[in-house]
Amino acid sequence: MSIQITWLGHASFALNADGYKVLVDPFLSGNPLASTSADALEADFILISHGHGDHLGDAVTIAKRTGAKCIGNFEIVNWLNGQGITNTHPQHIGGGYHHEFGYVKLTIAHHGSSLPDGSYGGNPCGFLITFKSGKKAYFACDTGLFYDMKLYGDEGIDFAALPIGDNFTMGPDDAFRAVELLRPKVVIPIHFSTWPPIEQDAAAWVKRVNEQTTSRALLLKPGESYTLE
Ligand code: NI
Ligand code: MN
């Protein structure tokens, strides 16, 4: 069993989890760093962390085309139902559920979450996924640093994707502190340099994490994958 985690650019991922195709925050249209187009993506599941356009992204279009099950908080799922998407599964922060590809727990995220039409999107979240193999991947999504990351780290995280862009989320220094709390085996930086306000030297951040923590940091290019085995 292996999990292929492909970074599509910004905060978007395509996972192949033992044959299940899982998208996280699929934002391709209008994403200057997108490695593919929304039309090219297949999906069995779509995880949506919050309502902002750079995360909800193409989820509605992809869900309608593929029939993928959309997983998110109650408010976002409710809104998706109003868009005609019926294959949905609502959860909320702290709650986990055994989906076919693994156990998905919604985590804290300190951020906002309005939907494109201004609707209330509830609290934003991240995702802590325990795959069938027992391997754990943490997608922090959009958040500031919070000390409870230590509790997620206590679960034993194999792979983490952390925002380092600053301005809207953690910047490089807080993301470095997040690595110290989470202690992931492997970590990749995301949510940087898509636009000027979040321009960052990700290579310098990766070097610092590799030199000063026990975690292994990798710098993926959009479209590149990491395989969790
Ligand atoms: Ni956001
Ligand atoms: Mn964002």
Side-chain angles (χ1 to χ4, degrees):
M1 295 204 292
S2 73
I3 313 297
Q4 191 186 43
I5 301 172
T6 304
W7 185 45
L8 304 177
H10 197 56
S12 302
F13 288 90
L15 318 183
N16 188 325
D18 304 315
Y20 290 103
K21 293 182 172 63
V22 183
L23 301 178
V24 181
D25 286 350
F27 164 56
L28 294 311
S29 305
N31 175 354
L33 299 183
S35 65
T36 185
S37 69
D39 297 345
L41 289 172
E42 289 305 321
D44 300 306
F45 296 89
I46 304 173
L47 277 56
I48 301 157
S49 68
H50 65 292
H52 293 162
D54 59 321
H55 295 261
L56 179 72
D58 298 290
V60 170
T61 315
I62 297 170
K64 284 187 175 167
R65 175 172 55 80
T66 62
K69 180 177 283 184
C70 292
I71 300 168
N73 73 17
F74 176 81
E75 290 83 356
I76 286 175
V77 162
N78 206 23
W79 183 83
L80 289 170
N81 294 154
Q83 308 295 308
I85 294 167
T86 51
N87 190 13
T88 52
H89 183 100
Q91 295 186 216
H92 233 303
I93 291 166
Y97 185 82
H98 288 282
H99 296 281
E100 284 89 337
F101 63 94
Y103 181 76
V104 178
K105 184 160 75 177
L106 268 56
T107 60
I108 297 168
H110 293 305
H111 195 65
S113 179
S114 50
L115 286 149
D117 59 6
S119 297
Y120 172 62
N123 285 311
C125 71
F127 299 102
L128 184 56
I129 306 175
T130 309
F131 296 102
K132 294 288 174 61
S133 61
K135 297 284 183 187
K136 280 182 196 276
Y138 172 56
F139 297 89
C141 305
D142 280 8
T143 186
L145 178 68
F146 55 92
Y147 193 65
D148 290 7
M149 284 181 178
K150 183 173 186 302
L151 297 176
Y152 300 139
D154 289 345
E155 293 194 29
I157 293 173
D158 296 288
F159 172 90
L162 303 181
I164 67 158
D166 220 346
N167 195 68
F168 296 115
T169 67
M170 294 188 283
D173 289 342
D174 279 356
F176 179 85
R177 295 166 77 195
V179 172
E180 294 180 315
L181 295 171
L182 292 161
R183 295 149 282 149
K185 288 202 180 81
V186 170
V187 61
I188 69 160
I190 61 166
H191 211 278
F192 64 88
S193 301
T194 317
W195 302 285
I198 59 172
E199 192 75 42
Q200 295 297 337
D201 184 347
W205 186 83
V206 162
K207 185 165 180 280
R208 181 179 169 200
V209 170
N210 282 325
E211 287 175 353
Q212 297 177 32
T213 76
T214 55
S215 297
R216 179 174 154 234
L218 300 174
L219 186 57
L220 297 184
K221 292 191 183 73
E224 288 184 340
S225 301
Y226 173 73
T227 302
L228 193 55
E229 21 198 6

